[in-house]
Amino acid sequence: MREALRGLTTRGRSFLAAAIAAGISALILGERDLLRVAVLLAALPLLAAAYVGRSRYKLACTRSLEPGRAPVGSSARVILRLQNLSRLPTGTMLLEDRLPYALGSRPRVVLERLGAHQASSVAYTVRADVRGRYPIGPLVIRLTDPFGLCELTRSFPSVDQLTVIPQVVPLPRVRLAGEYAGTGDSRARSVAVHGEDDAATREYRRGDDLRRVHWRSTARTGELMVRREEQPWESRATVVLDTRAQAHRGEGPTASFEWAVSAAASIAVHLREAGYKVRLVTGTGIDIDGAETGGEGLIMDALADVKTLSNGDVSVLVETVRRRSDGGLVIGLFGTLTTAEAHLLSQLRGNGATCIGFAIDSSTWVSMTAGDRQESDREHAAATVALVRSGWRSLPVSHGETLPGLWPTVGRGSQGFAYRAAMAETVSGVNR
């Protein structure tokens, strides 16, 4: 009862104050009718508090998100299902779900009545313009009487999480250089060079099927040899994201780093759909093998959380990639580079890897004076040429350019990149 009295609303407290004032006036003036009014005014909030306080409802609540991963700028639907597990009908309930500021104001929904063992669902939408993970909940329920004189608060401790992932844009299908690089024991060229009889073999192991014995190789080596089990050729790709804070400029969702994150997500999804086994490596130490179960979800979750590092270093990024070199295709998304950093990236060309780099000119994301702009363009052109000389196929990126518009250039092979590099070198020479 004490809890219910503490839950009196402003209206309920006003009724009690009016009752006290009327009672004192009735005693001073000797008016019996005024005393009856005072008793009635005091009885209403007390009865409302007793009604709300003694109503022990047993409620169950579940929350579902559709979808659980929402791209930046899109809406997600939150569905609340509330069930009354008791035999008593509930009174009016006000539902309020707690949300972080980035998802908007707290939604408030009124349920007039919920019968015994009855369930009801309500829904609302949220929208986030900044990627990240956002907690939704806990749900707060306010129980009140029909007159609004008393209000009690109940809350559910459960909290769900909405993951806002980078925006993924569809890319045109183009033939990529190095798309057939990868791993596998069975290679088409082995048959073409040696003939079908000289298939790849290995030493016999206990338990091998004798029908797989390769007698010609056995006779040649003097040991029992069996044919290797055919394994499919695997196309592998590594997406490398530069997270150095000093390499990116701009603020909020329009920063150059956000362009790079969205591009990394789009490229990873595009390559997975094309049959690649995709690996994601960032300068923050993230190293995810997208070939695992739920690999695309793991990549998207990582890109939803990735942030820039104030003390980021290209050498750390190179070391992380080289820690497990799979060869194949390497696609890098780099911010502003120096010529020394561009030469350092040549270490990623080992193991027959084909390296394609998006050299983002982050200075174009901010305003500069004419002199500073000319100096920045010269430095960026020099870094682009250095990246090409390091064995990369470099593609300069400026503010306003879109990944779908740049992607066909990736498929043009060395000719398109050589043209870009020549143009960059020409600009560099002119500015000198």
Side-chain angles (χ1 to χ4, degrees), residues 119-252:
S120 180
S121 298
V122 295
Y124 62 91
T125 59
V126 294
R127 174 190 171 95
D129 294 324
V130 180
R131 58 184 176 80
R133 296 175 188 259
Y134 299 97
I136 296 182
L139 176 67
V140 177
I141 299 179
R142 304 182 189 277
L143 304 173
T144 183
D145 64 285
F147 302 103
L149 301 176
C150 182
E151 181 180 272
L152 293 182
T153 302
R154 300 283 187 268
S155 63
F156 292 88
S158 63
V159 176
D160 292 277
Q161 193 174 70
L162 175 65
T163 303
V164 180
I165 61 176
Q167 185 179 17
V168 176
V169 295
L171 302 179
R173 291 191 176 275
V174 296
R175 185 171 180 176
L176 301 175
E179 63 182 344
Y180 296 112
T183 60
D185 287 339
S186 297
R187 305 187 180 186
R189 64 174 178 267
S190 65
V191 176
V193 174
H194 302 290
E196 187 177 359
D197 292 336
D198 291 330
T201 59
R202 61 171 174 80
E203 295 180 358
Y204 173 83
R205 299 171 187 168
R206 186 175 180 180
D208 285 339
D209 190 350
L210 293 177
R211 290 175 296 182
R212 290 172 46 213
V213 174
H214 192 263
W215 298 109
R216 177 172 295 186
S217 298
T218 300
R220 185 173 61 248
T221 61
E223 298 180 2
L224 197 59
M225 306 293 289
V226 296
R227 297 177 185 271
R228 289 181 181 271
E229 293 180 353
E230 292 189 358
Q231 296 180 2
W233 185 261
E234 296 176 351
S235 294
R236 293 183 175 272
T238 302
V239 179
V240 181
L241 177 63
D242 183 9
T243 57
R244 296 172 299 133
Q246 66 272 20
H248 295 280
R249 298 189 183 183
E251 298 292 338

Side-chain angles (χ1 to χ4, degrees), residues 296-346:
E296 183 173 327
L298 294 176
I299 291 176
M300 288 301 163
D301 289 345
L303 291 176
D305 289 334
V306 68
K307 299 288 188 290
T308 56
L309 285 179
S310 57
N311 57 347
D313 192 348
V314 171
S315 61
V316 176
L317 183 63
V318 172
E319 183 62 29
T320 304
V321 177
R322 295 183 63 191
R323 191 178 303 159
R324 182 172 57 85
S325 179
D326 296 333
L329 184 65
V330 178
I331 298 181
L333 296 146
F334 305 112
T336 301
L337 293 170
T338 63
T339 54
E341 291 169 339
H343 287 302
L344 188 62
L345 291 171
S346 64

Side-chain angles (χ1 to χ4, degrees), residues 292-407:
E292 301 175 356
T293 303
E296 183 173 327
L298 294 176
I299 291 176
M300 288 301 163
D301 289 345
L303 291 176
D305 289 334
V306 68
K307 299 288 188 290
T308 56
L309 285 179
S310 57
N311 57 347
D313 192 348
V314 171
S315 61
V316 176
L317 183 63
V318 172
E319 183 62 29
T320 304
V321 177
R322 295 183 63 191
R323 191 178 303 159
R324 182 172 57 85
S325 179
D326 296 333
L329 184 65
V330 178
I331 298 181
L333 296 146
F334 305 112
T336 301
L337 293 170
T338 63
T339 54
E341 291 169 339
H343 287 302
L344 188 62
L345 291 171
S346 64
Q347 301 178 27
L348 299 183
R349 295 196 66 249
N351 199 18
T354 300
C355 298
I356 301 174
F358 288 84
I360 301 173
D361 187 2
S362 60
S363 66
T364 59
W365 265 258
V366 294
S367 299
M368 287 185 172
T369 61
D372 291 341
R373 172 63 61 198
Q374 186 176 7
E375 178 66 17
S376 177
D377 291 343
R378 186 189 66 79
E379 293 177 354
H380 181 69
T384 302
V385 173
L387 198 60
V388 172
R389 290 174 177 171
S390 299
W392 282 74
R393 298 177 178 179
S394 176
L395 180 62
V397 180
S398 300
H399 182 258
E401 293 187 285
T402 62
L403 184 62
L406 296 171
W407 191 250

